[in-house]
Amino acid sequence: IAEQALAVAELSLTAGEIGNVNAVSDAGVAVLLADAAAQSAALNVKINIGWIQDEAFNTGSWARVQEILGETADLRESVMALTYEKLG
Protein backbone atom coordinates (compact mmCIF):
# COMPACT_ATOMS: atom_id res chain seq x y z
CA ILE A 1 0.00 0.00 0.00
CA ALA A 2 2.78 2.44 0.83
CA GLU A 3 4.32 2.02 -2.64
CA GLN A 4 0.95 2.72 -4.27
CA ALA A 5 0.44 5.76 -2.06
CA LEU A 6 3.80 7.10 -3.21
CA ALA A 7 2.77 6.53 -6.84
CA VAL A 8 -0.43 8.51 -6.29
CA ALA A 9 1.55 11.32 -4.67
CA GLU A 10 3.90 11.39 -7.67
CA LEU A 11 0.97 11.49 -10.08
CA SER A 12 -0.65 14.30 -8.11
CA LEU A 13 2.44 16.41 -8.74
CA THR A 14 2.12 15.78 -12.47
CA ALA A 15 -1.59 16.62 -12.34
CA GLY A 16 -0.85 19.82 -10.45
CA GLU A 17 1.86 20.86 -12.86
CA ILE A 18 0.21 20.14 -16.21
CA GLY A 19 -3.42 19.40 -15.41
CA ASN A 20 -6.39 21.63 -15.96
CA VAL A 21 -6.02 24.67 -13.71
CA ASN A 22 -9.73 24.43 -12.86
CA ALA A 23 -9.12 20.98 -11.36
CA VAL A 24 -5.87 21.72 -9.55
CA SER A 25 -7.57 21.30 -6.19
CA ASP A 26 -8.01 17.62 -7.11
CA ALA A 27 -4.21 17.28 -7.17
CA GLY A 28 -4.07 18.73 -3.66
CA VAL A 29 -6.73 16.36 -2.39
CA ALA A 30 -4.99 13.41 -4.07
CA VAL A 31 -1.65 14.13 -2.42
CA LEU A 32 -3.28 14.55 0.99
CA LEU A 33 -5.03 11.21 0.62
CA ALA A 34 -1.83 9.58 -0.62
CA ASP A 35 0.02 10.86 2.44
CA ALA A 36 -2.73 9.53 4.72
CA ALA A 37 -2.56 6.14 2.98
CA ALA A 38 1.23 6.02 3.38
CA GLN A 39 0.92 6.88 7.07
CA SER A 40 -1.76 4.21 7.52
CA ALA A 41 0.43 1.63 5.80
CA ALA A 42 3.35 2.62 8.03
CA LEU A 43 1.29 2.01 11.15
CA ASN A 44 0.25 -1.38 9.82
CA VAL A 45 3.85 -2.35 9.05
CA LYS A 46 5.10 -1.11 12.41
CA ILE A 47 2.62 -3.17 14.39
CA ASN A 48 3.12 -6.29 12.30
CA ILE A 49 6.92 -6.36 12.24
CA GLY A 50 6.75 -6.76 15.98
CA TRP A 51 5.54 -10.30 15.40
CA ILE A 52 8.22 -11.23 12.87
CA GLN A 53 11.40 -12.88 14.18
CA ASP A 54 13.60 -11.95 11.18
CA GLU A 55 15.37 -8.76 12.32
CA ALA A 56 17.02 -8.17 8.95
CA PHE A 57 13.63 -8.28 7.25
CA ASN A 58 12.13 -6.00 9.88
CA THR A 59 14.94 -3.47 9.61
CA GLY A 60 14.81 -3.44 5.81
CA SER A 61 11.03 -3.20 5.71
CA TRP A 62 10.90 -0.35 8.20
CA ALA A 63 13.70 1.50 6.42
CA ARG A 64 11.77 1.31 3.13
CA VAL A 65 8.60 2.56 4.83
CA GLN A 66 10.54 5.49 6.30
CA GLU A 67 11.90 6.30 2.85
CA ILE A 68 8.40 6.25 1.36
CA LEU A 69 7.06 8.45 4.16
CA GLY A 70 9.80 10.99 3.50
CA GLU A 71 9.20 11.03 -0.24
CA THR A 72 5.45 11.29 0.24
CA ALA A 73 5.83 14.14 2.74
CA ASP A 74 8.08 16.02 0.33
CA LEU A 75 5.55 15.56 -2.46
CA ARG A 76 2.73 16.67 -0.16
CA GLU A 77 4.55 19.92 0.56
CA SER A 78 5.34 20.54 -3.11
CA VAL A 79 1.89 19.72 -4.43
CA MET A 80 0.08 21.70 -1.75
CA ALA A 81 2.27 24.76 -2.41
CA LEU A 82 1.67 24.41 -6.15
CA THR A 83 -2.05 23.94 -5.60
CA TYR A 84 -2.43 27.04 -3.46
CA GLU A 85 -0.26 29.03 -5.85
CA LYS A 86 -2.43 28.10 -8.82
CA LEU A 87 -5.63 28.77 -6.90
CA GLY A 88 -4.43 32.34 -6.39
Side-chain angles (χ1 to χ4, degrees):
I1 297 291
E3 295 281 351
Q4 290 84 357
L6 177 56
V8 170
E10 291 168 342
L11 289 171
S12 69
L13 179 59
T14 302
E17 289 174 339
I18 64 173
N20 184 328
V21 71
N22 295 319
V24 72
S25 64
D26 294 340
V29 170
V31 78
L32 291 172
L33 293 173
D35 186 52
Q39 292 290 340
S40 297
L43 291 172
N44 194 341
V45 169
K46 190 66 171 172
I47 198 165
N48 286 309
I49 62 174
W51 296 96
I52 298 171
Q53 301 290 324
D54 185 341
E55 286 302 316
F57 174 81
N58 292 349
T59 301
S61 296
W62 188 242
R64 178 62 184 137
V65 167
Q66 292 295 317
E67 183 180 319
I68 290 169
L69 289 177
E71 291 176 38
T72 304
D74 290 346
L75 285 163
R76 183 193 65 232
E77 295 302 318
S78 296
V79 174
M80 291 306 296
L82 177 64
T83 300
Y84 281 115
E85 178 185 318
K86 285 193 171 187
L87 289 174

